[in-house]
Amino acid sequence: MAIKCETFSFEVQAQDGTARAGRIETAHGSIETPIFMPVGTQGTVKSLTPEDLRDEIEAQIILGNTYHLYLRPGLDVIKKHGGLHQFMNWNHPILTDSGGYQVFSLKDLRKIKEEGVLFQDHIGGAKHLFTPEKVIEIQETLGSDIMMAFDECPELPCTEDYMQKSMARTTRWAKRCLEARTRPDCALFGIIQGGTSEKLRKLHADELCKLPFDGFAIGGLSVGEAKDKMYETVEFTTPMMPDDKPKYLMGVGKPDDLIECIARGVDMFDCVLPSRNARNGQCFTHSGVVNIRNAEYAEDMAPIDPDCDCYTCKNYTRSYIRHLYKAKEILSARLCTLHNLHYFLTLVGQAREAIIEGRFEQFRLDYYAAKED
Amino acid sequence: MAIKCETFSFEVQAQDGTARAGRIETAHGSIETPIFMPVGTQGTVKSLTPEDLRDEIEAQIILGNTYHLYLRPGLDVIKKHGGLHQFMNWNHPILTDSGGYQVFSLKDLRKIKEEGVLFQDHIGGAKHLFTPEKVIEIQETLGSDIMMAFDECPELPCTEDYMQKSMARTTRWAKRCLEARTRPDCALFGIIQGGTSEKLRKLHADELCKLPFDGFAIGGLSVGEAKDKMYETVEFTTPMMPDDKPKYLMGVGKPDDLIECIARGVDMFDCVLPSRNARNGQCFTHSGVVNIRNAEYAEDMAPIDPDCDCYTCKNYTRSYIRHLYKAKEILSARLCTLHNLHYFLTLVGQAREAIIEGRFEQFRLDYYAAKED
């Protein structure tokens, strides 16, 4: 008999159209949804401390990568610390991916079998086998508050035949993941695949949502498909998912995407975009993107975003941050990451408020209007 | 008639042997000596914010580089912000070097004339002329609390003949620097050269210390000479300098060097060592150097320095920081820089207390004993 998570719960607090505001409870505290999760691939959200994340950005949950942490520092080190929370000194919720996405991205270096995936890692080239059981064992060692089931994310375009076979295997793996659980304080989400086909999504959702997962994710999007296809897929997939469980859209996205997918019923998001782009000097603002490396900002005395109250915008000019970027100073990455993540977290927080107050559609219109000013 | 600085003063508060504890007043607040100044070459102490410097490290004064800031972002940008303090959001004392050291390091790209130094910069290769007047103008534009006179730092070994000619020119330049001042809130220090020769140091100090500088520096050391030569030179040079002015040893050094040169009467230090080495994973501790990249720390659950109460040591294991370093994470540079600078500032702070309490020699013995444990 499979174990059940005793620390996890979810309630929808308000609904406005299809958009939802909710609350997730985990072993490390609660999360108000809709939420964006900063990505901390290697046990750190690049350039930031847990205090920056909590106090300056008001992050509620962060994401860790199973594949990367398994390879480096490795499970022995994590185990010795008592888990990922203690290792990185973050005492709030953590979601970990299953490593599936990374392993399948290795292409020539991996071989898919029913048992799992045999692959060579990108660091030393050593051989490893990831099975559903192994991936749960790793995530339980990390002490993840929300674990993800091991799935295949087929590269698009792919034949309907391959997608069907892959989905069937992902379902079998999902069941094995559920069976493999031993910790009652680690929740487990299933992942629905099916590309951009409504028929295939329905097929997979019908199978997967019967299983006793604590939440469900839409996988296999934001992998190169057209934006309208992505929105359309989210729109027809969320109604296939149980309303009393969180709905998580993996790997998405830009600010517009958050707004559009919140409108379509998504509760949770993660993406490297705000932090990665910050390191390249691309900052998100209420009036659109500011590429801080551009010459036009050399003597610009305004903050990155005049409508932002983050640490960076309260204290520094565009001119100074551009200087840091041009001089390749680490502080540039730090200040821009702080700003971008603050922007993303503020955006989902404002969307949540609007949903609770029944004015989400107006909020969405105002959001686009501000960008066009 | 040359202007005098109205905001600068210095008093010796205690003396213990040759070691001194004092207090400097500047336009941006006071500095308790002996003091170590973190280096912020390009308008940032790499990886840190002003809040980190002030609240976590208790830095009292930082150093900015005239040569680097003149080239990038350039004076127009700094002027627009109202000075370097505002540009980088640091509202406490700043000392700027004269650019002399950098310009003379360019070797094949510079030509020394009586007027000044003609050079090609290391970024775009453009030609520039640094004169004593220009260097004061730049530092006044930066709004430096303590400016440094334009000097030549001859490469060692050099002939006595060349050193004498160079020193004479440095003295003429020193006078021109004093004449060029226009701001009564920017102090100006002279720089004594003369290599490791007692005779030459005496020659130069006798000339230079007659001039109405607000403080004096020992230049031309820590450029590759043997450690005992450096200590010896400091030992015979500090008595040549006026006791009612701060004595600043430029570009020094390691923790041992601070202890040894405080013992020999030095009040002020600066060096890139703690911050640069931090980025290479070399951490200074009470029991010696910890190279965090070493395999021996992979599962080490201790903080970098068990006797340290800095943010890094309070919150992270050696194992975690080694992981960050191996994974090339920015946070590694940040946490190690924070620790190293905290170590340096704590060391000079403890030396100061020991001097005031008349137990500096015991402090020095205890310092070495702890390293041998």
Side-chain angles (χ1 to χ4, degrees), chain A residues 42-43 46-47 50-52 72 77 81 87 89 311 316-317 319-320 323 329 334, chain B residues 42-43 46-47 50-52 72 77 81 87 311 315-317 319-320 323 329 334:
Chain A
Q42 304 192 107
K46 291 189 193 306
S47 84
E51 287 76 12
D52 294 336
R72 188 169 56 195
V77 169
H81 285 76
F87 183 58
N89 198 34
Y311 169 79
Y316 304 96
T317 62
S319 171
Y320 178 65
H323 161 69
E329 285 287 351
R334 180 173 165 190
Chain B
Q42 304 192 108
K46 291 189 194 304
S47 83
E51 287 76 11
D52 294 335
R72 190 169 53 194
V77 168
H81 285 77
F87 182 59
Y311 169 78
N315 291 292
Y316 304 96
T317 62
S319 171
Y320 178 65
H323 162 68
E329 285 287 349
R334 181 173 165 190

mmCIF file of all heavy atoms in Angstrom, chain A residues 42-43 46-47 50-52 72 77 81 87 89 311 316-317 319-320 323 329 334, chain B residues 42-43 46-47 50-52 72 77 81 87 311 315-317 319-320 323 329 334:
data_model
loop_
_atom_site.group_PDB
_atom_site.id
_atom_site.type_symbol
_atom_site.label_atom_id
_atom_site.label_comp_id
_atom_site.label_asym_id
_atom_site.label_seq_id
_atom_site.Cartn_x
_atom_site.Cartn_y
_atom_site.Cartn_z
ATOM 1 N N GLN A 42 21.441 24.438 -8.513
ATOM 2 C CA GLN A 42 22.551 23.747 -7.848
ATOM 3 C C GLN A 42 22.600 24.048 -6.357
ATOM 4 O O GLN A 42 23.658 24.190 -5.776
ATOM 5 C CB GLN A 42 23.877 24.151 -8.490
ATOM 6 C CG GLN A 42 23.910 23.907 -9.995
ATOM 7 C CD GLN A 42 25.299 24.033 -10.591
ATOM 8 O OE1 GLN A 42 25.908 23.040 -10.953
ATOM 9 N NE2 GLN A 42 25.812 25.250 -10.696
ATOM 10 N N GLY A 43 21.416 24.178 -5.730
ATOM 11 C CA GLY A 43 21.396 24.451 -4.292
ATOM 12 C C GLY A 43 21.611 25.913 -3.983
ATOM 13 O O GLY A 43 22.009 26.279 -2.872
ATOM 14 N N LYS A 46 20.914 31.561 -8.091
ATOM 15 C CA LYS A 46 22.203 32.177 -8.431
ATOM 16 C C LYS A 46 22.346 33.624 -7.948
ATOM 17 O O LYS A 46 21.524 34.466 -8.249
ATOM 18 C CB LYS A 46 22.442 32.110 -9.945
ATOM 19 C CG LYS A 46 22.675 30.677 -10.429
ATOM 20 C CD LYS A 46 23.126 30.640 -11.883
ATOM 21 C CE LYS A 46 23.056 29.223 -12.438
ATOM 22 N NZ LYS A 46 23.785 28.199 -11.659
ATOM 23 N N SER A 47 23.392 33.848 -7.183
ATOM 24 C CA SER A 47 23.840 35.150 -6.655
ATOM 25 C C SER A 47 23.122 35.578 -5.367
ATOM 26 O O SER A 47 23.563 36.511 -4.715
ATOM 27 C CB SER A 47 23.750 36.278 -7.703
ATOM 28 O OG SER A 47 22.436 36.829 -7.745
ATOM 29 N N PRO A 50 19.372 33.041 0.994
ATOM 30 C CA PRO A 50 17.997 32.783 1.441
ATOM 31 C C PRO A 50 17.346 34.052 2.008
ATOM 32 O O PRO A 50 16.147 34.262 1.823
ATOM 33 C CB PRO A 50 18.179 31.728 2.531
ATOM 34 C CG PRO A 50 19.431 31.009 2.151
ATOM 35 C CD PRO A 50 20.330 32.071 1.578
ATOM 36 N N GLU A 51 18.138 34.903 2.659
ATOM 37 C CA GLU A 51 17.578 36.153 3.209
ATOM 38 C C GLU A 51 17.121 37.075 2.082
ATOM 39 O O GLU A 51 16.081 37.721 2.190
ATOM 40 C CB GLU A 51 18.609 36.872 4.086
ATOM 41 C CG GLU A 51 18.865 36.221 5.431
ATOM 42 C CD GLU A 51 19.737 34.973 5.340
ATOM 43 O OE1 GLU A 51 20.328 34.729 4.270
ATOM 44 O OE2 GLU A 51 19.818 34.232 6.338
ATOM 45 N N ASP A 52 17.908 37.169 1.009
ATOM 46 C CA ASP A 52 17.476 37.960 -0.146
ATOM 47 C C ASP A 52 16.145 37.426 -0.656
ATOM 48 O O ASP A 52 15.213 38.190 -0.947
ATOM 49 C CB ASP A 52 18.487 37.849 -1.292
ATOM 50 C CG ASP A 52 19.832 38.470 -0.965
ATOM 51 O OD1 ASP A 52 19.880 39.365 -0.098
ATOM 52 O OD2 ASP A 52 20.831 38.050 -1.573
ATOM 53 N N ARG A 72 26.188 16.606 -8.259
ATOM 54 C CA ARG A 72 27.059 17.515 -7.493
ATOM 55 C C ARG A 72 26.222 18.337 -6.563
ATOM 56 O O ARG A 72 25.370 19.048 -7.054
ATOM 57 C CB ARG A 72 27.842 18.411 -8.482
ATOM 58 C CG ARG A 72 28.915 19.247 -7.839
ATOM 59 C CD ARG A 72 29.812 19.902 -8.875
ATOM 60 N NE ARG A 72 29.058 20.714 -9.827
ATOM 61 C CZ ARG A 72 29.527 21.158 -10.990
ATOM 62 N NH1 ARG A 72 30.739 20.874 -11.365
ATOM 63 N NH2 ARG A 72 28.783 21.902 -11.773
ATOM 64 N N VAL A 77 26.659 14.026 0.586
ATOM 65 C CA VAL A 77 26.831 15.356 1.176
ATOM 66 C C VAL A 77 25.491 15.909 1.652
ATOM 67 O O VAL A 77 25.369 16.433 2.763
ATOM 68 C CB VAL A 77 27.495 16.316 0.156
ATOM 69 C CG1 VAL A 77 27.431 17.756 0.642
ATOM 70 C CG2 VAL A 77 28.940 15.890 -0.100
ATOM 71 N N HIS A 81 23.959 16.678 5.683
ATOM 72 C CA HIS A 81 23.365 17.932 6.152
ATOM 73 C C HIS A 81 21.937 17.747 6.658
ATOM 74 O O HIS A 81 21.368 18.649 7.253
ATOM 75 C CB HIS A 81 23.368 18.977 5.030
ATOM 76 C CG HIS A 81 24.716 19.582 4.762
ATOM 77 N ND1 HIS A 81 25.706 18.929 4.078
ATOM 78 C CD2 HIS A 81 25.238 20.795 5.106
ATOM 79 C CE1 HIS A 81 26.780 19.708 3.990
ATOM 80 N NE2 HIS A 81 26.529 20.835 4.603
ATOM 81 N N PHE A 87 21.239 22.115 3.862
ATOM 82 C CA PHE A 87 22.443 22.308 3.054
ATOM 83 C C PHE A 87 22.541 23.756 2.586
ATOM 84 O O PHE A 87 23.574 24.400 2.715
ATOM 85 C CB PHE A 87 22.381 21.353 1.852
ATOM 86 C CG PHE A 87 23.581 21.382 0.950
ATOM 87 C CD1 PHE A 87 24.855 21.111 1.435
ATOM 88 C CD2 PHE A 87 23.443 21.657 -0.412
ATOM 89 C CE1 PHE A 87 25.961 21.106 0.594
ATOM 90 C CE2 PHE A 87 24.536 21.665 -1.258
ATOM 91 C CZ PHE A 87 25.793 21.387 -0.752
ATOM 92 N N ASN A 89 20.496 26.243 3.644
ATOM 93 C CA ASN A 89 20.017 27.180 4.665
ATOM 94 C C ASN A 89 18.724 27.891 4.278
ATOM 95 O O ASN A 89 18.525 29.068 4.572
ATOM 96 C CB ASN A 89 21.123 28.198 4.989
ATOM 97 C CG ASN A 89 20.896 28.908 6.305
ATOM 98 O OD1 ASN A 89 20.376 28.322 7.250
ATOM 99 N ND2 ASN A 89 21.255 30.184 6.375
ATOM 100 N N TYR A 311 14.827 46.438 -3.558
ATOM 101 C CA TYR A 311 16.090 46.986 -3.056
ATOM 102 C C TYR A 311 16.889 47.665 -4.172
ATOM 103 O O TYR A 311 17.414 48.767 -4.003
ATOM 104 C CB TYR A 311 16.926 45.866 -2.425
ATOM 105 C CG TYR A 311 18.339 46.289 -2.123
ATOM 106 C CD1 TYR A 311 18.627 47.050 -0.998
ATOM 107 C CD2 TYR A 311 19.380 45.954 -2.988
ATOM 108 C CE1 TYR A 311 19.922 47.476 -0.738
ATOM 109 C CE2 TYR A 311 20.675 46.366 -2.726
ATOM 110 C CZ TYR A 311 20.944 47.125 -1.609
ATOM 111 O OH TYR A 311 22.224 47.544 -1.362
ATOM 112 N N TYR A 316 19.630 52.244 -6.613
ATOM 113 C CA TYR A 316 20.608 52.374 -7.698
ATOM 114 C C TYR A 316 19.981 52.902 -8.985
ATOM 115 O O TYR A 316 18.833 52.615 -9.280
ATOM 116 C CB TYR A 316 21.280 51.022 -7.967
ATOM 117 C CG TYR A 316 21.924 50.455 -6.727
ATOM 118 C CD1 TYR A 316 21.252 49.531 -5.934
ATOM 119 C CD2 TYR A 316 23.184 50.877 -6.318
ATOM 120 C CE1 TYR A 316 21.829 49.021 -4.778
ATOM 121 C CE2 TYR A 316 23.773 50.382 -5.165
ATOM 122 C CZ TYR A 316 23.085 49.455 -4.391
ATOM 123 O OH TYR A 316 23.650 48.969 -3.250
ATOM 124 N N THR A 317 20.797 53.625 -9.733
ATOM 125 C CA THR A 317 20.353 54.139 -11.034
ATOM 126 C C THR A 317 20.631 53.102 -12.130
ATOM 127 O O THR A 317 21.476 52.221 -11.978
ATOM 128 C CB THR A 317 21.122 55.419 -11.397
ATOM 129 O OG1 THR A 317 22.526 55.104 -11.516
ATOM 130 C CG2 THR A 317 20.940 56.493 -10.340
ATOM 131 N N SER A 319 22.111 53.866 -14.735
ATOM 132 C CA SER A 319 23.476 54.216 -15.100
ATOM 133 C C SER A 319 24.489 53.383 -14.307
ATOM 134 O O SER A 319 25.442 52.832 -14.863
ATOM 135 C CB SER A 319 23.693 55.711 -14.845
ATOM 136 O OG SER A 319 25.044 56.053 -14.989
ATOM 137 N N TYR A 320 24.282 53.300 -12.998
ATOM 138 C CA TYR A 320 25.208 52.523 -12.157
ATOM 139 C C TYR A 320 25.164 51.038 -12.512
ATOM 140 O O TYR A 320 26.203 50.387 -12.668
ATOM 141 C CB TYR A 320 24.866 52.723 -10.679
ATOM 142 C CG TYR A 320 25.750 51.921 -9.742
ATOM 143 C CD1 TYR A 320 27.110 52.182 -9.638
ATOM 144 C CD2 TYR A 320 25.222 50.887 -8.968
ATOM 145 C CE1 TYR A 320 27.923 51.445 -8.785
ATOM 146 C CE2 TYR A 320 26.030 50.148 -8.113
ATOM 147 C CZ TYR A 320 27.378 50.431 -8.020
ATOM 148 O OH TYR A 320 28.183 49.697 -7.174
ATOM 149 N N HIS A 323 26.871 50.359 -15.690
ATOM 150 C CA HIS A 323 28.322 50.366 -15.455
ATOM 151 C C HIS A 323 28.783 49.013 -14.904
ATOM 152 O O HIS A 323 29.768 48.438 -15.378
ATOM 153 C CB HIS A 323 28.691 51.502 -14.495
ATOM 154 C CG HIS A 323 30.039 51.328 -13.858
ATOM 155 N ND1 HIS A 323 31.216 51.430 -14.576
ATOM 156 C CD2 HIS A 323 30.400 51.017 -12.591
ATOM 157 C CE1 HIS A 323 32.242 51.203 -13.770
ATOM 158 N NE2 HIS A 323 31.781 50.948 -12.557
ATOM 159 N N GLU A 329 30.925 43.153 -13.415
ATOM 160 C CA GLU A 329 30.920 43.037 -11.965
ATOM 161 C C GLU A 329 29.804 42.103 -11.506
ATOM 162 O O GLU A 329 28.664 42.189 -11.974
ATOM 163 C CB GLU A 329 30.738 44.425 -11.330
ATOM 164 C CG GLU A 329 31.994 45.296 -11.398
ATOM 165 C CD GLU A 329 33.084 44.839 -10.427
ATOM 166 O OE1 GLU A 329 32.812 43.969 -9.582
ATOM 167 O OE2 GLU A 329 34.212 45.352 -10.534
ATOM 168 N N ARG A 334 23.655 40.221 -9.315
ATOM 169 C CA ARG A 334 22.908 40.168 -8.059
ATOM 170 C C ARG A 334 21.765 41.182 -8.045
ATOM 171 O O ARG A 334 20.625 40.848 -7.701
ATOM 172 C CB ARG A 334 23.902 40.424 -6.919
ATOM 173 C CG ARG A 334 23.298 40.408 -5.557
ATOM 174 C CD ARG A 334 24.382 40.504 -4.487
ATOM 175 N NE ARG A 334 23.787 40.844 -3.207
ATOM 176 C CZ ARG A 334 24.472 41.186 -2.118
ATOM 177 N NH1 ARG A 334 25.799 41.214 -2.151
ATOM 178 N NH2 ARG A 334 23.849 41.487 -1.003
ATOM 179 N N GLN B 42 36.111 49.261 -9.220
ATOM 180 C CA GLN B 42 35.241 49.797 -10.271
ATOM 181 C C GLN B 42 33.919 50.313 -9.715
ATOM 182 O O GLN B 42 32.884 50.173 -10.347
ATOM 183 C CB GLN B 42 34.974 48.704 -11.317
ATOM 184 C CG GLN B 42 36.251 48.131 -11.917
ATOM 185 C CD GLN B 42 35.990 47.267 -13.130
ATOM 186 O OE1 GLN B 42 36.294 47.672 -14.257
ATOM 187 N NE2 GLN B 42 35.422 46.101 -12.937
ATOM 188 N N GLY B 43 33.950 50.906 -8.517
ATOM 189 C CA GLY B 43 32.718 51.430 -7.950
ATOM 190 C C GLY B 43 31.892 50.362 -7.269
ATOM 191 O O GLY B 43 30.676 50.523 -7.074
ATOM 192 N N LYS B 46 33.756 43.981 -5.022
ATOM 193 C CA LYS B 46 33.189 42.909 -5.835
ATOM 194 C C LYS B 46 32.260 41.968 -5.066
ATOM 195 O O LYS B 46 32.636 41.398 -4.056
ATOM 196 C CB LYS B 46 34.301 42.095 -6.503
ATOM 197 C CG LYS B 46 35.031 42.898 -7.586
ATOM 198 C CD LYS B 46 35.991 42.063 -8.404
ATOM 199 C CE LYS B 46 36.929 42.938 -9.215
ATOM 200 N NZ LYS B 46 36.278 43.907 -10.100
ATOM 201 N N SER B 47 31.064 41.832 -5.554
ATOM 202 C CA SER B 47 29.989 40.926 -5.103
ATOM 203 C C SER B 47 29.172 41.474 -3.937
ATOM 204 O O SER B 47 28.129 40.915 -3.625
ATOM 205 C CB SER B 47 30.515 39.520 -4.755
ATOM 206 O OG SER B 47 31.031 39.483 -3.436
ATOM 207 N N PRO B 50 26.702 47.952 -0.336
ATOM 208 C CA PRO B 50 27.097 48.817 0.776
ATOM 209 C C PRO B 50 26.564 48.315 2.118
ATOM 210 O O PRO B 50 27.234 48.444 3.139
ATOM 211 C CB PRO B 50 26.475 50.160 0.401
ATOM 212 C CG PRO B 50 26.395 50.135 -1.081
ATOM 213 C CD PRO B 50 26.071 48.710 -1.433
ATOM 214 N N GLU B 51 25.372 47.712 2.104
ATOM 215 C CA GLU B 51 24.804 47.190 3.355
ATOM 216 C C GLU B 51 25.645 46.025 3.876
ATOM 217 O O GLU B 51 25.874 45.900 5.080
ATOM 218 C CB GLU B 51 23.351 46.736 3.150
ATOM 219 C CG GLU B 51 22.341 47.863 2.992
ATOM 220 C CD GLU B 51 22.384 48.519 1.622
ATOM 221 O OE1 GLU B 51 23.042 47.985 0.701
ATOM 222 O OE2 GLU B 51 21.765 49.592 1.470
ATOM 223 N N ASP B 52 26.089 45.154 2.962
ATOM 224 C CA ASP B 52 26.981 44.067 3.383
ATOM 225 C C ASP B 52 28.232 44.649 4.033
ATOM 226 O O ASP B 52 28.680 44.181 5.081
ATOM 227 C CB ASP B 52 27.439 43.244 2.170
ATOM 228 C CG ASP B 52 26.313 42.488 1.492
ATOM 229 O OD1 ASP B 52 25.311 42.190 2.156
ATOM 230 O OD2 ASP B 52 26.450 42.197 0.291
ATOM 231 N N ARG B 72 36.047 54.098 -16.967
ATOM 232 C CA ARG B 72 34.721 53.492 -17.002
ATOM 233 C C ARG B 72 34.101 53.581 -15.632
ATOM 234 O O ARG B 72 34.698 53.023 -14.703
ATOM 235 C CB ARG B 72 34.839 52.012 -17.445
ATOM 236 C CG ARG B 72 33.522 51.358 -17.740
ATOM 237 C CD ARG B 72 33.705 50.014 -18.414
ATOM 238 N NE ARG B 72 34.611 49.146 -17.664
ATOM 239 C CZ ARG B 72 35.153 48.017 -18.151
ATOM 240 N NH1 ARG B 72 34.919 47.648 -19.378
ATOM 241 N NH2 ARG B 72 35.934 47.276 -17.404
ATOM 242 N N VAL B 77 29.509 60.559 -16.094
ATOM 243 C CA VAL B 77 28.521 59.740 -15.382
ATOM 244 C C VAL B 77 28.622 59.968 -13.876
ATOM 245 O O VAL B 77 27.615 60.156 -13.185
ATOM 246 C CB VAL B 77 28.704 58.244 -15.735
ATOM 247 C CG1 VAL B 77 27.892 57.351 -14.804
ATOM 248 C CG2 VAL B 77 28.317 57.990 -17.185
ATOM 249 N N HIS B 81 25.880 61.923 -11.073
ATOM 250 C CA HIS B 81 25.385 61.351 -9.812
ATOM 251 C C HIS B 81 25.757 62.216 -8.612
ATOM 252 O O HIS B 81 25.265 61.989 -7.509
ATOM 253 C CB HIS B 81 25.948 59.938 -9.600
ATOM 254 C CG HIS B 81 25.299 58.891 -10.456
ATOM 255 N ND1 HIS B 81 25.587 58.723 -11.794
ATOM 256 C CD2 HIS B 81 24.354 57.949 -10.176
ATOM 257 C CE1 HIS B 81 24.865 57.729 -12.291
ATOM 258 N NE2 HIS B 81 24.103 57.239 -11.339
ATOM 259 N N PHE B 87 26.982 57.533 -6.610
ATOM 260 C CA PHE B 87 26.976 56.576 -7.724
ATOM 261 C C PHE B 87 26.838 55.152 -7.201
ATOM 262 O O PHE B 87 26.014 54.370 -7.669
ATOM 263 C CB PHE B 87 28.277 56.736 -8.524
ATOM 264 C CG PHE B 87 28.395 55.859 -9.739
ATOM 265 C CD1 PHE B 87 27.465 55.922 -10.772
ATOM 266 C CD2 PHE B 87 29.474 54.976 -9.877
ATOM 267 C CE1 PHE B 87 27.593 55.121 -11.909
ATOM 268 C CE2 PHE B 87 29.604 54.177 -11.005
ATOM 269 C CZ PHE B 87 28.663 54.254 -12.012
ATOM 270 N N TYR B 311 28.340 36.404 8.853
ATOM 271 C CA TYR B 311 27.129 35.823 8.264
ATOM 272 C C TYR B 311 27.417 34.451 7.649
ATOM 273 O O TYR B 311 26.660 33.497 7.832
ATOM 274 C CB TYR B 311 26.562 36.773 7.198
ATOM 275 C CG TYR B 311 25.486 36.141 6.359
ATOM 276 C CD1 TYR B 311 24.191 36.003 6.851
ATOM 277 C CD2 TYR B 311 25.771 35.631 5.087
ATOM 278 C CE1 TYR B 311 23.206 35.388 6.095
ATOM 279 C CE2 TYR B 311 24.787 35.016 4.328
ATOM 280 C CZ TYR B 311 23.509 34.893 4.834
ATOM 281 O OH TYR B 311 22.538 34.277 4.089
ATOM 282 N N ASN B 315 25.982 30.604 9.070
ATOM 283 C CA ASN B 315 24.897 29.975 8.310
ATOM 284 C C ASN B 315 25.265 28.832 7.383
ATOM 285 O O ASN B 315 24.373 28.128 6.907
ATOM 286 C CB ASN B 315 24.174 31.045 7.486
ATOM 287 C CG ASN B 315 23.406 32.010 8.359
ATOM 288 O OD1 ASN B 315 22.430 31.622 8.982
ATOM 289 N ND2 ASN B 315 23.860 33.256 8.433
ATOM 290 N N TYR B 316 26.554 28.675 7.061
ATOM 291 C CA TYR B 316 26.902 27.694 6.026
ATOM 292 C C TYR B 316 28.076 26.811 6.425
ATOM 293 O O TYR B 316 28.988 27.258 7.119
ATOM 294 C CB TYR B 316 27.222 28.417 4.710
ATOM 295 C CG TYR B 316 26.091 29.299 4.251
ATOM 296 C CD1 TYR B 316 26.087 30.670 4.550
ATOM 297 C CD2 TYR B 316 25.006 28.763 3.579
ATOM 298 C CE1 TYR B 316 25.031 31.481 4.167
ATOM 299 C CE2 TYR B 316 23.943 29.570 3.185
ATOM 300 C CZ TYR B 316 23.956 30.923 3.478
ATOM 301 O OH TYR B 316 22.915 31.706 3.104
ATOM 302 N N THR B 317 28.055 25.580 5.918
ATOM 303 C CA THR B 317 29.163 24.647 6.158
ATOM 304 C C THR B 317 30.240 24.818 5.080
ATOM 305 O O THR B 317 29.977 25.325 3.987
ATOM 306 C CB THR B 317 28.660 23.188 6.091
ATOM 307 O OG1 THR B 317 28.154 22.934 4.770
ATOM 308 C CG2 THR B 317 27.548 22.938 7.108
ATOM 309 N N SER B 319 31.357 22.400 3.523
ATOM 310 C CA SER B 319 30.867 21.500 2.482
ATOM 311 C C SER B 319 29.985 22.242 1.478
ATOM 312 O O SER B 319 30.151 22.099 0.262
ATOM 313 C CB SER B 319 30.076 20.367 3.144
ATOM 314 O OG SER B 319 29.414 19.582 2.187
ATOM 315 N N TYR B 320 29.072 23.065 1.981
ATOM 316 C CA TYR B 320 28.180 23.816 1.080
ATOM 317 C C TYR B 320 28.970 24.837 0.254
ATOM 318 O O TYR B 320 28.781 24.952 -0.957
ATOM 319 C CB TYR B 320 27.092 24.534 1.894
ATOM 320 C CG TYR B 320 26.154 25.364 1.040
ATOM 321 C CD1 TYR B 320 25.321 24.766 0.109
ATOM 322 C CD2 TYR B 320 26.118 26.759 1.158
ATOM 323 C CE1 TYR B 320 24.465 25.518 -0.686
ATOM 324 C CE2 TYR B 320 25.259 27.518 0.376
ATOM 325 C CZ TYR B 320 24.435 26.895 -0.545
ATOM 326 O OH TYR B 320 23.598 27.649 -1.329
ATOM 327 N N HIS B 323 30.902 23.194 -2.403
ATOM 328 C CA HIS B 323 29.993 22.848 -3.506
ATOM 329 C C HIS B 323 29.745 24.052 -4.411
ATOM 330 O O HIS B 323 29.834 23.955 -5.639
ATOM 331 C CB HIS B 323 28.666 22.322 -2.946
ATOM 332 C CG HIS B 323 27.542 22.343 -3.930
ATOM 333 N ND1 HIS B 323 27.505 21.522 -5.033
ATOM 334 C CD2 HIS B 323 26.434 23.127 -4.013
ATOM 335 C CE1 HIS B 323 26.422 21.782 -5.736
ATOM 336 N NE2 HIS B 323 25.756 22.751 -5.145
ATOM 337 N N GLU B 329 29.367 28.799 -8.699
ATOM 338 C CA GLU B 329 28.231 29.637 -8.332
ATOM 339 C C GLU B 329 28.716 30.987 -7.777
ATOM 340 O O GLU B 329 29.634 31.035 -6.952
ATOM 341 C CB GLU B 329 27.371 28.928 -7.287
ATOM 342 C CG GLU B 329 26.518 27.799 -7.864
ATOM 343 C CD GLU B 329 25.348 28.316 -8.698
ATOM 344 O OE1 GLU B 329 25.062 29.526 -8.661
ATOM 345 O OE2 GLU B 329 24.718 27.500 -9.396
ATOM 346 N N ARG B 334 30.616 35.591 -3.142
ATOM 347 C CA ARG B 334 29.967 36.510 -2.198
ATOM 348 C C ARG B 334 30.192 36.067 -0.752
ATOM 349 O O ARG B 334 30.586 36.878 0.102
ATOM 350 C CB ARG B 334 28.471 36.563 -2.529
ATOM 351 C CG ARG B 334 27.676 37.469 -1.659
ATOM 352 C CD ARG B 334 26.243 37.592 -2.172
ATOM 353 N NE ARG B 334 25.391 38.165 -1.156
ATOM 354 C CZ ARG B 334 24.068 38.225 -1.215
ATOM 355 N NH1 ARG B 334 23.433 37.775 -2.282
ATOM 356 N NH2 ARG B 334 23.370 38.758 -0.231
#
